[in-house]
Amino acid sequence: MKHKNHILVIVFVLICSTLFAQQGRQKRADTLFNKFSFVKAAKVYRELIQKNYNRDYATRKLADCYAYLRDPRNAARYYKNVVKQKNVPIEYYYKYAQSLRGIKKYDESQDWLKRYKDSGGVVNANDFSKDINFITSVFGAEQQYFLDRFRFNSKFSDFGAFEQDGKVYFTSARDEGSAVKRIYGWNEQPFLDIYEADVKSKKNVDYSAKIKGDVNTIFHDGPITLTKDGKTMYFSRNNFNKNVEVKDNTGLTNMKIYRATLVDGEWTNIEDLSINGDNFSTQHPALNADDSKLYFASDRPGTNGGSDIWVVDIFPDGTLRNLKNMGKVVNTESAEGFPFINNENVLFFSSDGHTGLGLLDIFATLKDEDNNDEIVGVINVGVPVNSNADDFSFSMNPDGITGYFASNRRGGRGSDDIYAYHRVPILHVEGVVTDAINGNPVVGANIKLFDEKGNEIAFMETDENGYYQINIDRNQDFKIIANQDKYIDDYRTFTSKKIQTELTSITANLLLNPVPNVAKLADLNTNNLGYETSESIINSDSTNVKGAKLKPIYFDFEKYNILKEYALELDKIVKLMTVYYPDMVIKIESHTDSRGTTLYNDVLSQNRAKSTYDYLVSKGVNPNNILEYKGYGERRLINECADGVSCSKAKHQLNRRTEFVVVKME
């Protein structure tokens, strides 16, 4: 018999170890996916499918990985399984239709598009009439960027905008008010100069808004980038310095990157950099977050295509060393340019060599999870940033939410126009599941997320800290449930409707009460004592109980006095604790409805807890047997009646309660 027990213990340990291992794999896969490391994420999701762990979820995510990697054959293979799942979101019908189009299965594609529309999905009337790569439509269906107005465009070319310290800097050919007209023969527009304006200004920006100093010349100047302290500028310019224009062997004037410093409000001390050459172009400077690297575009020797993205280290003494081509993951046989590095060290650039919507499209790099310096892929940032025209000079402000890009798409004011955008970041719900008695994290608790129709849309387990995190959509209502074998389920309802764009996380902590297991409770006349029992909380093998809840009492609106009808219920608890179980220990937890301020409700709930405590003690309950009495305000509503939700008086009444949790009973 002893050997059998040992075998059971070993089997149990092995099962637990396996579950924790799969949980860790899923967490790693989700982390990789959220960081756009789709190649590695796909590998881990395949492992989860092979282990049959959370298989439906892993299959959906694996299919999405292949979609983002522009692998329509594998995407279609897994989306085919996804659309067979129960309660699968209808967006996957659309994704499956797109992947089928990517492998030229046009009839099947149209069938699934029809099913998507019949299920309530909305697409543009000519959605599949355009000859575009399916993955860009996936990005379009999951739009994250939204266009805002940029007030400073002209009828000429405007691009290269970026924001710093309340100023927006940009490059423009709007030099039509100056005394001397300088026309560029290529497009019959004035030569480019660099301008600055207050971000919040409503004034028109004319030639008088050019930056001060020696940067702007009679040829092309711009775009620029600034160091974070605003004292050093790197800028593109025709090969023209000290009033001398230099042409290459074919008679063309190439571009160079120069450096300038700010002295008494003017940009001066123009310096020709060592990375330049007379027979090739070097342009479009961009600095990383700590100003230690300079990225740029060039067709110098060693370039793969028309132009490539390059990078060079900036040393403290200002010298440039360790010149490096960004490699074939970024650079193609066509043209790449206009690099930009955001605060998360993601490289954005324009290219007509990677698969896109039109001519130049804007792309972002994907980093290796283990080696953040290694780029493993690029993704198209999608519409509306990209179009069927040229889209370029992308920048992102330090907030990670707003920024600018340029495009020559139809509907603009000039040949190239600057567009402002705001980005809706990925939103997730997160929280910690804890033991209601001792406050310890509950490891391996099952977390299930449901949509407003009651469909389960995600599943995971808490980690060693009781923590969970799940990506969610905006503008929806949700319910989340936590359960574990040794505990009573807990749930929360929450919404992502009408929340700030900048918000990236909603917190939903969950509190699990241990399952009570005492046989004596089954023998009590619960109608007389006021104790609520069920088969799920009775276990005759134990004489200890934890987490059982006695019948709650309720309060009038904004009141904390004990009502006569609930004094009778309290008397039953008094009898239980003084006659039947004098060693019984409880906790008192009081709550309010959502009306009123958070601070007011905290005070009100504490008063309710105190009045309940005082009543029990006045009737003979030992104060030492009341572990604590605590008010939780409006934080633990038991229904949907949160702030802004219209509810009946009866529903609000259910939240104005005091609950009693059994901590110990012998």
Side-chain angles (χ1 to χ4, degrees), residues 403-458:
Y404 306 93
F405 68 94
S407 178
N408 60 358
R409 66 188 63 182
R410 294 181 62 183
R413 184 179 178 187
S415 58
D416 298 314
D417 284 296
I418 298 169
Y419 293 82
Y421 70 82
H422 70 272
R423 183 175 70 91
V424 178
I426 294 174
L427 179 67
H428 63 260
V429 59
E430 64 179 354
V432 176
V433 181
T434 54
D435 186 305
I437 302 302
N438 56 34
N440 293 332
V442 179
V443 180
N446 298 316
I447 303 295
K448 293 183 179 180
L449 182 68
F450 297 85
D451 63 18
E452 54 194 5
K453 296 180 180 179
N455 298 320
E456 182 180 331
I457 56 178

Side-chain angles (χ1 to χ4, degrees), residues 218-287:
I218 60 174
F219 293 106
H220 284 312
D221 305 290
I224 73 166
T225 187
L226 297 177
T227 54
K228 300 304 179 290
D229 63 9
K231 296 179 180 179
T232 303
M233 174 190 295
Y234 294 85
F235 64 97
S236 298
R237 176 196 282 177
N238 281 124
N239 191 353
F240 178 82
N241 197 18
K242 298 180 180 179
N243 295 321
V244 176
E245 180 187 9
V246 180
K247 298 182 181 295
D248 64 15
N249 296 332
T250 64
L252 296 177
T253 302
N254 287 302
M255 300 297 295
K256 284 187 173 183
I257 294 178
Y258 297 87
R259 184 161 53 198
T261 54
L262 188 63
V263 179
D264 297 330
E266 295 191 357
W267 293 101
T268 187
N269 300 327
I270 309 301
E271 179 185 357
D272 191 339
L273 300 181
S274 60
I275 57 175
N276 294 319
D278 293 336
N279 293 311
F280 55 83
S281 282
T282 306
Q283 58 185 334
H284 308 158
L287 293 166

Side-chain angles (χ1 to χ4, degrees), residues 46 97 498:
R46 285 196 300 270
K498 298 181 181 180

Side-chain angles (χ1 to χ4, degrees), residues 510-529:
L510 295 138
L511 197 65
L512 297 185
N513 280 289
V515 173
N517 47 12
V518 60
K520 294 181 181 180
L521 289 176
D523 298 328
L524 298 177
N525 185 335
T526 57
N527 290 328
N528 292 330
L529 294 177

Side-chain angles (χ1 to χ4, degrees), residues 454-599:
N455 298 320
E456 182 180 331
I457 56 178
F459 161 80
M460 72 172 304
E461 295 179 356
T462 55
D463 64 14
E464 64 275 9
N465 298 312
Y467 176 78
Y468 74 91
Q469 182 186 91
I470 302 173
N471 289 350
I472 59 174
D473 293 327
R474 293 175 183 268
N475 300 312
Q476 292 191 21
D477 295 321
F478 299 95
K479 179 179 180 179
I480 195 161
I481 298 177
N483 68 76
Q484 216 248 32
D485 291 343
K486 298 179 181 179
Y487 295 88
I488 301 171
D489 294 1
D490 189 23
Y491 75 91
R492 294 284 184 274
T493 57
F494 64 95
T495 183
S496 60
K497 295 178 179 178
K498 298 181 181 180
I499 62 174
Q500 294 178 332
T501 300
E502 295 80 6
L503 188 67
T504 60
S505 175
I506 294 176
T507 299
N509 294 325
L510 295 138
L511 197 65
L512 297 185
N513 280 289
V515 173
N517 47 12
V518 60
K520 294 181 181 180
L521 289 176
D523 298 328
L524 298 177
N525 185 335
T526 57
N527 290 328
N528 292 330
L529 294 177
Y531 186 80
E532 297 179 309
T533 64
S534 70
E535 291 182 1
S536 64
I537 64 170
I538 302 298
N539 186 330
S540 60
D541 294 332
S542 174
T543 57
N544 293 323
V545 66
K546 283 187 178 181
K549 288 186 177 180
L550 306 179
K551 191 173 182 179
I553 64 170
Y554 298 90
F555 296 84
D556 284 341
F557 179 60
E558 293 189 336
K559 303 294 185 181
Y560 56 86
N561 59 293
I562 304 298
L563 297 174
K564 183 177 180 180
E565 59 186 294
Y566 294 114
L568 297 176
E569 297 298 331
L570 290 179
D571 289 339
K572 296 175 184 179
I573 296 177
V574 170
K575 187 174 183 180
L576 180 67
M577 298 183 69
T578 58
V579 177
Y580 292 96
Y581 293 97
D583 294 325
M584 179 178 178
V585 178
I586 66 170
K587 291 196 304 182
I588 297 172
E589 299 178 348
S590 297
H591 311 272
T592 71
D593 60 31
S594 62
R595 294 173 293 181
T597 66
T598 300
L599 179 61

